[in-house]
Amino acid sequence: VKVYDERQESNVSIFTYFFGPNTSSFDEPVELGALPTFLRHVLYNPEVPEFTSLQQFSWAVLIGIFMGAFTAYWGFIIEGCVDFMWKDVPETLLEWGFFTEEGGSFPLFHYMWICPAIFGGILSYITEMLPNKIPGQNEWISSLHRRGVQDHGTFVNLLLVSTAGMASGLSLGPELPLVLSAGMVGSYLAVVTKQSILSARVMNLTAASAAIGGFFGFPMAGALFVLELPHRMGLQYFEALSPATIASIVAVLVNRIITGNDVKGYFNYPFLTTTLPSGIFYIAVMYGLVGSLVGVFYAEVVKKIKTDVHHWFVPHDNHHGSSSKVHHGTAGTVETWESNGPESVPLVGSKMKMRTQPQENGLVKFWKKVTSFGIKNDAIRAGVSGSIAGMLTGVICIFVPHALFWGEAQLQTLIDQGKTPLPVFGEEGEPTSALTSYGFCLINPDDEIAVEEGLSLGCAALLTVTKVLTIGLSLGTGIVGGHFWGPLYVGCAASHFFTKLMSTLDENFGVGESLYSYPCVAILCIMASAHVVSFRAHLAIMLILTLTISTFSSNIIDGAFVGGDYSAVFPLLVVSSFIALMLTRSTVFYKEQRCRGDIVAMPEVLCEPGKDGQPLAHTYDDGEYEDYDSDEGDLSWDGLDDNEREGDVNTRHVQVPVTAGDIEQEFERQNRPSAQSPRRRPSKSPLPPRFQDKTTKVVAMPNDSFMEHEGADAATDSVKKNPHRRTRSGSELYKSQQYAKARSGSLDAHEGEAVDGKGRRVSTTGADAAAGRERLNSSSSSRPGTPTLLRVSSFGEVADFQPDLMTQARSRASSASRPPSLPKGSNSGRHSRKNSDTIPAIQGVVDGFGGIPMDEVERTFGSMMNQHTLNRN
């Protein structure tokens, strides 16, 4: 679509008209109209592409609208595909005579394993054959941390494969496809508008939050789930919380308008009394412990099965690094000699050892032969493995139909212990009811006795184990799909098992009455704690489970209708969730979950409040941060603005220990022959050229009571042991921006003269050049320095992740109240000057034990010099 542009007198696209360069064909600035100006202010300004808070809010609303409509129509498609595959297709095949009635040669229940087997094989083959691989949850988390964006090239393939996977009956849910597809939309928007990693990451998280919130109807909880998912101990991308919440709210509203669904809870829970005893918190702690065990069992078994399915039929190459010769000895044993070389017959003098192992039976040999069979073609191997995994899933679901699908629709049946019939499958009398003819643990709603008893202890255990198996097999196929509802399903079944077990113990031994008296609390707390182990989204699962409560089963006491209050459950969910969060820190389901890794603590916050300190510094390889320097020398930028060059910024000069090697390097640099290439190579130091020397290093400090350079011994060791690395303090890591001249004085490194704020040069000689800088700049009337920017060479990807802030505090923080240790072999005598490298360390010891700190001496001397200069003028 094109419009006429009066500025260029031609037809241009709408995007170019509104967001194109603000120039004419002759590169002359022109005045924009009211509408383009408004859109640039609200949506996107190509001249300043980074989104403002207003533009971010506007895009969050637009993303919410799009995701609300997208999730509504995609939900219709998923429901239609499931009904088609599990109602229409079985009925049609039964009418055509492909399947027979129950008792025939080929009953309809065989469809339960045929459908997952076919879809598992085909979809696994297609997934492996795609040129651009569909990412998984770990890939999304990794790309979010490193680049902030997700490759959108697999958007269509992702939707098609995931929709077919959900319709196949495998335990694959829509959560992961929603996060991936919406993240691709947000990433594409960020790439088109040329956002930084920080802003692009926000768009990625905002779109994913809108998709989760809109699909499931959780505006705030959906945003929290997406924000917590990349981390292991709570959300850390706090800058995305507001736009993600706004987008999810809008997505829920649009989704409800299109679908027409009422705003209500999901599940009806067992009866809950209006008041709970004070000891219920101890019971919640116990439920948290039980849920933690269930969650660890779920996570470890699912990972194991998933990994094993991936490794099915992988060809094993015969490596001949060592050889062995097998000899059948006595009955029941196999004697094996191993030699050191590749030959089957050992050379003379080679050592041999013999080991005895039990002889394998026929079943073990058969299984090893089957599993040792390899398929070299990856696509064929994936198709065969997927087909077998789908067939096994279907066979399990023939006997336990509750385990079919991803578990969201079946959870209500599990909560009320079979009172609610299973969805999808036809009721008694309908053709598809034959699909569950061999199913166990099914309760007839018309049987009052069975409804009253509920699930047995064995059925609860069976439902727990079979769901774990089907989820592991389904994820092992490699078909994209989520398992958000899996831990909730397993936790619910395990809660029934636990309460039934406690009831049995109470009947026989009189213990455990309080642990089964509140089945509603047990279900919610165990589900929450089991879910936290795998996804680590403790805040989100509390809200989600609370919001999914539709009603509690009512009860009539003394002729009055009594029902529970769901708000009483929320504190108990908090207790059980945090119990699981803290106890299962070593259990990892998604290996890419980590802290954000792009925040470095300033040195001030690593010291004790109001005390001088010496925090440890980070080191970086040369070239990781480089000065910006063009081919022409006059176009280089030294990192200082005009005000700084005029000396309007007050700085704190930190005296750095100078070693003999530094003096030699400085001497060689100043006496280097001048006959060199006029074009200077870009410097690999993070500082401008005149600040590269340690003796002239200037760092802006907002508070004179803190020291930012590490101890003298650490600095000396770093120079001696690793001369190709440089030590940089925490403030320098903040993009190396705090480099400025002093307001009262600065140092000209090339001429060796101190220059005060008025431009007068004060001569310095020898060692006074380093100390004089700080003396001139020491003044009681100084004000905090202004941070400046330094252009550095970088690449839009995070490679080295920093630890979280508290870990930095544990590893880098130190205080002057703890005296530093002397270097090994140094003489602690007061007048010993055997090595100049030990002088700063000795000075640090004097400062630590109550002597006059060198900082105070320098400050006093500087004040005296300033007063002398004023009197002389």
Side-chain angles (χ1 to χ4, degrees):
V1 179
K2 295 183 178 297
V3 295
Y4 181 76
D5 187 2
E6 63 278 1
R7 298 169 296 178
Q8 302 185 17
E9 297 182 355
S10 62
N11 293 328
V12 297
S13 64
I14 293 180
F15 184 85
T16 303
Y17 180 78
F18 287 120
F19 304 114
N22 188 17
T23 57
S24 64
S25 58
F26 300 100
D27 293 335
E28 298 177 357
V30 297
E31 183 178 356
L32 296 175
L35 182 58
T37 302
F38 173 78
L39 292 178
R40 289 192 174 200
H41 178 67
V42 174
L43 291 180
Y44 175 64
N45 186 356
E47 298 179 359
V48 186
E50 197 75 2
F51 288 153
T52 63
S53 58
L54 176 60
Q55 293 170 342
Q56 202 174 72
F57 172 82
S58 302
W59 282 113
V61 174
L62 295 177
I63 289 174
I65 295 174
F66 175 79
M67 285 300 160
F70 171 76
T71 53
Y73 290 112
W74 195 33
F76 291 149
I77 295 174
I78 294 174
E79 292 179 1
C81 291
V82 171
D83 291 338
F84 175 77
M85 292 304 304
W86 292 94
K87 287 185 177 180
D88 298 339
V89 173
E91 291 180 0
T92 303
L93 293 177
L94 186 61
E95 293 177 359
W96 290 354
F98 185 84
F99 293 108
T100 61
E101 297 290 343
E102 187 175 354
S105 59
F106 199 56
L108 186 61
F109 71 83
H110 287 285
Y111 185 81
M112 293 282 283
W113 67 266
I114 293 176
C115 182
I118 294 176
F119 273 87
I122 295 176
L123 295 179
S124 298
Y125 180 84
I126 294 175
T127 301
E128 187 64 32
M129 282 291 295
L130 292 175
N132 295 330
K133 304 300 181 184
I134 298 176
Q137 192 71 78
N138 275 315
E139 287 76 13
W140 179 80
I141 295 174
S142 177
S143 64
L144 183 75
H145 285 304
R146 294 185 179 277
R147 302 179 58 192
V149 295
Q150 180 74 41
D151 183 17
H152 59 274
T154 59
F155 180 81
V156 177
N157 298 332
L158 168 67
L159 293 180
L160 295 177
V161 172
S162 61
T163 303
M166 285 181 278
S168 66
L170 296 171
S171 294
L172 301 172
E175 311 82 32
L176 176 59
L178 283 171
V179 172
L180 294 177
S181 58
M184 293 176 185
V185 174
S187 300
Y188 179 76
L189 172 63
V191 171
V192 170
T193 55
K194 300 180 180 180
Q195 300 300 297
S196 65
I197 289 182
L198 290 173
S199 183
R201 185 186 288 133
V202 171
M203 291 294 101
N204 191 344
L205 292 170
T206 299
S209 302
I212 294 293
F215 193 89
F216 295 106
F218 306 140
M220 182 67 185
L224 285 177
F225 173 74
V226 173
L227 294 177
E228 287 184 299
L229 189 57
H231 315 287
R232 292 191 50 77
M233 298 299 292
L235 69 90
Q236 297 181 20
Y237 292 126
F238 49 85
E239 65 271 21
L241 180 59
S242 294
T245 304
I246 293 169
S248 62
I249 292 173
V250 176
V252 171
L253 295 176
V254 175
N255 184 281
R256 290 297 183 266
I257 292 174
I258 295 176
T259 60
N261 295 334
D262 297 332
V263 180
K264 60 180 182 180
Y266 273 51
F267 309 113
N268 299 324
Y269 287 90
F271 170 73
L272 182 68
T273 57
T274 54
T275 59
L276 297 173
S278 58
I280 193 67
F281 285 97
Y282 300 103
I283 299 175
V285 171
M286 181 59 68
Y287 290 155
L289 296 175
V290 174
S292 299
L293 294 176
V294 174
V296 172
F297 168 76
Y298 171 87
E300 296 299 333
V301 175
V302 168
K303 287 193 302 181
K304 176 63 176 175
I305 297 176
K306 176 183 176 181
T307 303
D308 291 345
V309 174
H310 277 306
H311 293 166
W312 281 354
F313 308 115
V314 174
H316 302 281
D317 296 333
N318 295 324
H319 300 284
H320 300 284
S322 63
S323 60
S324 62
K325 185 176 182 180
V326 180
H327 170 71
H328 294 275
T330 59
T333 63
V334 176
E335 297 176 353
T336 304
W337 288 274
E338 294 183 351
S339 62
N340 296 330
E343 303 291 340
S344 59
V345 179
L347 297 176
V348 177
S350 63
K351 296 182 180 180
M352 300 179 62
K353 54 184 178 179
M354 181 180 67
R355 64 181 181 180
T356 303
Q357 59 184 8
Q359 188 174 7
E360 299 173 345
N361 55 33
L363 183 61
V364 175
K365 290 183 178 180
F366 174 75
W367 177 251
K368 284 190 174 182
K369 288 182 179 180
V370 172
T371 56
S372 63
F373 174 73
I375 301 177
K376 294 184 179 180
N377 189 288
D378 292 337
I380 297 177
R381 178 183 55 80
V384 173
S385 300
S387 180
I388 295 176
M391 182 185 65
L392 293 177
T393 301
V395 170
I396 294 174
C397 293
I398 290 176
F399 302 101
V400 189
H402 310 72
L404 203 65
F405 303 107
W406 56 92
E408 177 188 0
Q410 292 75 22
L411 191 56
Q412 180 60 63
T413 304
L414 206 58
I415 290 174
D416 56 25
Q417 303 190 53
K419 296 178 183 179
T420 302
L422 286 174
V424 180
F425 306 112
E427 299 180 359
E428 187 176 357
E430 297 183 3
T432 54
S433 62
L435 292 172
T436 60
S437 58
Y438 283 82
F440 292 98
C441 303
L442 297 175
I443 296 177
N444 186 2
D446 298 331
D447 189 348
E448 296 181 359
I449 298 177
V451 171
E452 184 67 23
E453 293 179 354
L455 297 174
S456 64
L457 185 66
C459 280
L462 181 64
L463 293 174
T464 302
V465 174
T466 53
K467 191 61 178 179
V468 174
L469 296 178
T470 56
I471 292 176
L473 292 171
S474 300
L475 295 179
T477 60
I479 304 171
V480 60
H483 63 113
F484 174 87
W485 297 97
L488 300 180
Y489 180 104
V490 173
C492 182
S495 67
H496 290 313
F497 175 81
F498 180 74
T499 53
K500 296 287 184 183
L501 180 61
M502 291 298 104
S503 177
T504 303
L505 292 177
D506 182 51
E507 292 176 359
N508 297 305
F509 304 101
V511 295
E513 179 181 1
S514 60
L515 295 177
Y516 73 89
S517 300
Y518 307 96
C520 177
V521 178
I523 292 173
L524 290 170
C525 291
I526 294 178
M527 282 199 304
S529 53
H531 194 277
V532 167
V533 177
S534 297
F535 289 93
R536 314 297 296 177
H538 55 287
L539 295 178
I541 200 60
M542 300 175 201
L543 292 177
I544 289 175
L545 288 179
T546 304
L547 294 174
T548 55
I549 298 175
S550 178
T551 57
F552 295 106
S553 299
S554 60
N555 197 1
I556 298 177
I557 301 178
D558 296 333
F561 177 82
V562 178
D565 184 7
Y566 72 89
S567 61
V569 180
F570 188 79
L572 306 178
L573 287 174
V574 174
V575 172
S576 60
S577 298
F578 271 89
I579 289 292
L581 182 71
M582 301 307 296
L583 292 181
T584 61
R585 286 175 293 180
S586 60
T587 302
V588 179
F589 194 90
Y590 294 117
K591 62 180 181 180
E592 294 296 335
Q593 287 179 325
R594 59 165 67 93
C595 66
R596 61 181 303 170
D598 58 356
I599 297 180
V600 180
M602 297 176 63
E604 289 85 351
V605 300
L606 298 175
C607 301
E608 295 183 20
K611 295 183 180 180
D612 290 343
Q614 293 178 331
L616 297 178
H618 287 284
T619 59
Y620 286 89
D621 293 332
D622 288 339
E624 185 168 341
Y625 292 105
E626 299 180 355
D627 291 335
Y628 174 79
D629 197 358
S630 63
D631 294 337
E632 301 296 334
D634 57 344
L635 297 179
S636 62
W637 184 43
D638 60 3
L640 304 176
D641 55 21
D642 295 336
N643 294 332
E644 292 165 341
R645 295 188 181 91
E646 296 174 0
D648 291 341
V649 181
N650 182 37
T651 61
R652 166 89 184 281
H653 294 246
V654 180
Q655 186 172 358
V656 181
V658 182
T659 64
D662 296 330
I663 298 175
E664 294 294 337
Q665 293 178 3
E666 176 64 13
F667 179 81
E668 292 178 2
R669 186 185 67 82
Q670 293 184 359
N671 294 275
R672 187 176 302 162
S674 59
Q676 294 182 356
S677 174
R679 297 182 61 170
R680 182 172 58 89
R681 295 179 59 186
S683 173
K684 292 187 177 181
S685 172
L687 304 176
R690 55 179 174 151
F691 290 109
Q692 291 179 13
D693 183 18
K694 280 189 174 182
T695 62
T696 60
K697 188 175 183 181
V698 179
V699 181
M701 293 292 292
N703 192 332
D704 284 348
S705 64
F706 295 102
M707 295 289 293
E708 74 174 25
H709 194 77
E710 67 176 353
D713 52 349
T716 304
D717 293 341
S718 65
V719 173
K720 291 181 178 180
K721 296 179 180 180
N722 195 355
H724 297 289
R725 297 176 67 86
R726 59 179 177 271
T727 303
R728 305 176 63 200
S729 64
S731 61
E732 293 173 306
L733 297 176
Y734 186 65
K735 295 297 185 183
S736 305
Q737 80 273 29
Q738 296 189 356
Y739 303 106
K741 287 186 178 180
R743 180 173 182 173
S744 58
S746 61
L747 180 69
D748 190 336
H750 299 286
E751 299 182 7
E753 297 179 343
V755 184
D756 60 13
K758 297 181 181 181
R760 296 189 298 267
R761 298 186 181 274
V762 181
S763 63
T764 58
T765 60
D768 293 337
R773 294 189 310 274
E774 190 161 344
R775 295 166 183 165
L776 286 173
N777 288 283
S778 300
S779 176
S780 59
S781 61
S782 63
R783 61 183 178 87
T786 303
T788 59
L789 298 177
L790 175 66
R791 190 180 297 277
V792 297
S793 298
S794 182
F795 183 72
E797 182 173 347
V798 179
D800 297 327
F801 289 93
Q802 299 297 327
D804 60 89
L805 293 179
M806 298 311 299
T807 302
Q808 293 183 46
R810 298 184 189 101
S811 61
R812 294 173 51 203
S814 61
S815 172
S817 62
R818 296 187 294 273
S821 60
L822 290 174
K824 294 183 179 180
S826 63
N827 192 343
S828 59
R830 182 174 181 178
H831 300 287
S832 175
R833 303 191 64 175
K834 184 180 296 184
N835 192 336
S836 61
D837 294 343
T838 63
I839 294 177
I842 297 175
Q843 293 174 349
V845 175
V846 174
D847 294 344
F849 281 102
I852 300 177
M854 295 299 297
D855 190 35
E856 295 293 337
V857 175
E858 295 294 340
R859 186 179 294 108
T860 303
F861 182 80
S863 300
M864 295 174 60
M865 290 294 296
N866 290 337
Q867 186 66 30
H868 176 72
T869 303
L870 292 176
N871 294 336
R872 186 178 62 181
N873 294 336

